[in-house]
């Protein structure tokens, strides 16, 4: 679309490579998305603060870049699901390797499920992560806890976003009471205890890129969490060939009994995030997820 010399200069300084081309292909959460070509012809993708606006950039942006870089590196250490390489990161930009688009075939979906199971099985030292988290433009409390997942999920995921959504007017007091009822019963609703898994944390269908017969993970909010969270996110907005993903997963590391009934519980957090970001249009979905979680 357009070329930004100022952003290109920022990226060149970060990478130590000349930028032959930088095309803006989108804008989201206060920063630009760019397709870039580095010296030597290597293509890459960047998220960057527009250079003229750098001094006035939203406070969250630099933290979000660092969180995404940490997440990608940590997921990559498991050598399970492929992720882009982090080429450079700084307060003004994140530069990652380019992934060529492909097709979501049933075979690729099955392999992705297998690799996602292996990623989760790589585990984590605790619930949470040793870096401040972000999901979209919102901060995530990644305070680490070696205790159980249910209370960590209630304290670090449900309560903060419930409070934010109510304060913003996206949810009403009666909606909040439904979610609070889930929180009150979280111990009995969460299913069998599981150790911390190494999860993507925002694993909706748009954050899985299909390339070379495999599913690649992008835009992670990675942390030690519950493995059912990633699977519930894949179901939330309809991942392609989800049945094959689940078959590959369950063949590799079987899921705990009753996991399907717990999908609404795990979807409640991302729906609260959407209510915070997009307002009352997500009120009905939050209510439905809370009611389904309680019914389970």
């Amino acid at each position: 679309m357009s070329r930004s010399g100022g952003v290109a200069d920022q990226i060149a300084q970060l990478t130590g490579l000349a930028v032959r081309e930088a095309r803006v292909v989108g804008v989201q959460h206060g920063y630009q998305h760019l397709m870039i070509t580095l010296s030597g012809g290597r293509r890459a993708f960047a998220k960057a603060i527009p250079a003229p606006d750098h001094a006035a950039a939203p406070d969250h942006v630099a933290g979000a870049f660092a969180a995404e870089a940490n997440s990608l590196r940590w997921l990559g250490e498991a050598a399970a699901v492929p992720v882009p390489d982090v080429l450079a990161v700084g307060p003004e930009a994140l530069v990652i390797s380019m992934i060529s688009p492909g097709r979501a075939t049933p075979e690729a979906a099955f392999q992705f499920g297998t690799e996602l199971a292996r990623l989760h099985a790589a585990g984590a030292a605790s619930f949470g992560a040793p870096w401040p988290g972000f999901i979209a433009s919102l901060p995530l409390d990644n305070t680490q806890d070696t205790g159980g997942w249910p209370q960590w999920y209630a304290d670090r995921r449900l309560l903060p976003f419930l409070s934010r959504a109510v304060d913003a007017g996206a949810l009403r007091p009666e909606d909040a009471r439904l979610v609070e009822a889930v929180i009150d019963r979280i111990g009995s609703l969460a299913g069998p205890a599981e150790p911390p898994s190494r999860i993507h944390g925002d694993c909706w269908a748009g954050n899985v890129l299909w390339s070379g017969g495999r599913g690649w993970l992008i835009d992670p909010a990675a942390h030690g969490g519950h493995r059912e969270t990633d699977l519930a996110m894949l179901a939330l907005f309809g991942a392609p060939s989800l049945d094959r993903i689940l078959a590959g997963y369950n063949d590799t590391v079987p899921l705990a009994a009753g996991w399907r009934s717990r999908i609404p519980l795990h979807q409640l957090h991302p729906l609260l995030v959407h209510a915070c970001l997009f307002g009352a249009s997500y009120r009905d979905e939050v209510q439905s997820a809370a009611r389904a979680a309680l019914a389970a």
Side-chain angles (χ1 to χ4, degrees):
M1 292 174 62
S2 65
R3 191 183 192 284
S4 174
V7 171
D9 291 342
Q10 292 173 2
I11 293 170
Q13 289 179 352
L14 274 178
T15 61
L17 298 170
V19 177
R20 289 169 40 187
E21 183 182 24
R23 292 189 305 114
V24 179
V25 294
V27 178
Q28 188 178 41
H29 304 311
Y31 49 77
Q32 295 175 335
H33 290 179
L34 303 101
M35 300 290 190
I36 61 177
T37 304
L38 301 168
S39 58
R42 182 171 188 179
R43 300 192 66 209
F45 176 82
K47 298 177 180 180
I49 301 169
D53 300 329
H54 184 233
D59 292 339
H60 72 267
V61 172
F65 290 161
E68 184 170 341
N70 285 327
S71 292
L72 286 169
R73 289 168 177 149
W74 188 60
L75 295 178
E77 287 171 4
V81 183
V83 297
D85 294 328
V86 176
L87 304 181
V89 63
E92 68 278 5
L94 169 68
V95 186
I96 61 176
S97 57
M98 179 69 72
I99 308 303
S100 301
R103 292 176 54 242
T105 64
E107 295 78 14
F110 188 92
Q111 181 172 349
F112 174 68
T114 296
E115 293 174 339
L116 186 63
R118 292 173 180 160
L119 172 67
H120 291 166
S126 66
F127 296 107
W131 58 80
F134 278 84
I135 187 165
S137 59
L138 300 178
L140 277 175
D141 183 351
N142 275 345
T143 300
Q144 293 179 279
D145 191 336
T146 56
W149 176 81
Q151 198 59 49
W152 182 89
Y153 181 63
D155 292 343
R156 309 300 175 188
R157 293 296 182 262
L158 297 183
L159 281 168
F161 289 91
L162 175 61
S163 177
R164 183 187 285 265
V166 171
D167 289 347
L171 296 181
R172 301 163 300 191
E174 56 265 37
D175 306 319
R177 285 193 288 272
L178 266 176
V179 180
E180 287 165 353
V182 173
I183 292 169
D184 289 343
R185 292 177 51 193
I186 193 77
S188 62
L189 297 175
E194 295 216 4
S197 292
R198 188 171 304 217
I199 72 169
H200 177 282
D202 190 15
C203 197
W204 72 288
N207 284 343
V208 182
L209 292 184
W210 302 95
S211 179
R214 301 175 78 184
W216 292 64
L217 290 175
I218 61 168
D219 291 348
H223 61 277
H226 198 301
R227 61 192 182 127
E228 292 173 9
T229 295
D230 277 351
L231 299 178
M233 279 293 291
L234 287 169
L236 184 56
F237 298 114
S241 297
L242 181 59
D243 59 334
R244 299 305 297 153
I245 294 173
L246 295 173
Y249 192 106
N250 213 36
D251 279 2
T252 307
V253 183
L255 289 156
W259 70 270
R260 289 184 185 275
S261 69
R262 293 187 291 274
I263 288 175
L265 174 64
H266 290 270
Q267 290 179 341
L268 192 51
H269 170 243
L271 289 171
L272 287 170
V273 171
H274 278 71
C276 293
L277 291 171
F278 305 115
S281 60
Y282 277 88
R283 180 181 293 157
D284 289 347
E285 291 185 68
V286 169
Q287 289 178 343
S288 295
R291 290 193 179 103
L294 290 167

